Amino acid sequence: MKPVSLATAMAAAFSIAVLSAPNVHAATDAVPQRKPGYWEITTVAPVSGMTKIKVCVGEDDDIVRPEGSDCTESKLTPLNEGVIIDVVCTTKEGKQTISTTFTGDFETRYHAILKTTFDPPLGAIRNMGVNLDGKYLGPDCPKEADATQ
């Protein structure tokens, strides 16, 4: 296995966190959307520790799939208070199998637990877990905010 740089690992954790925060209501049969506006996303991953970012979410929010990848249709498994979403994506680095459990109202907050398998491994990383919490900050995004779809 070739070593993975800290920057590569952090980029992977960031992309996983950002792609994994859709709006989910209890027991849904469709991939929900987050409320458009300004969100604070806190992630905790072994590679990067705890990080906080603020993002602007638009009407066409689709963060189940990593940007720049070709993905299968999402497989949804409804839960009493959320949903599990499984998707397989292909990027230039290889295949990512992503399973995410989502809970929350997604109008004001949400929580996600992501498990990703990389094939081939991303450096020394074959599997990665990320916990994510999103908090809605308001409808207006600052001009300097990162925009997501």
Side-chain angles (χ1 to χ4, degrees), residues 20-56:
S20 63
N23 170 8
V24 177
H25 301 264
T28 183
D29 62 355
V31 176
Q33 305 292 304
R34 288 179 293 181
K35 182 177 183 176
Y38 200 43
W39 286 82
E40 179 180 79
I41 300 171
T42 303
T43 61
V44 178
V47 174
S48 59
M50 186 174 87
T51 61
K52 284 189 180 192
I53 61 169
K54 293 180 181 174
V55 297
C56 188

Side-chain angles (χ1 to χ4, degrees), residues 80-146:
N80 286 338
E81 295 184 16
V83 66
I84 298 171
I85 300 177
D86 296 308
V87 66
V88 177
C89 300
T90 303
T91 67
K92 62 183 180 180
E93 289 83 22
K95 184 171 84 171
Q96 297 177 10
T97 303
I98 305 165
S99 181
T100 310
T101 302
F102 295 102
T103 58
D105 67 10
F106 295 85
E107 293 290 312
T108 60
R109 64 165 196 86
Y110 61 88
H111 178 73
I113 301 171
L114 285 78
K115 294 183 181 180
T116 303
T117 301
F118 299 98
D119 183 20
L122 185 62
I125 301 171
R126 176 173 296 282
N127 300 296
M128 182 180 346
V130 177
N131 287 310
L132 182 140
D133 287 290
K135 181 172 93 173
Y136 184 71
L137 300 176
D140 300 319
C141 297
K143 291 183 195 256
E144 68 277 356
D146 291 333

Side-chain angles (χ1 to χ4, degrees), residues 66-84:
E67 208 172 297
S69 61
D70 180 23
C71 300
T72 61
E73 281 296 313
S74 301
K75 176 185 169 213
L76 285 77
T77 305
L79 302 171
N80 286 338
E81 295 184 16
V83 66
I84 298 171

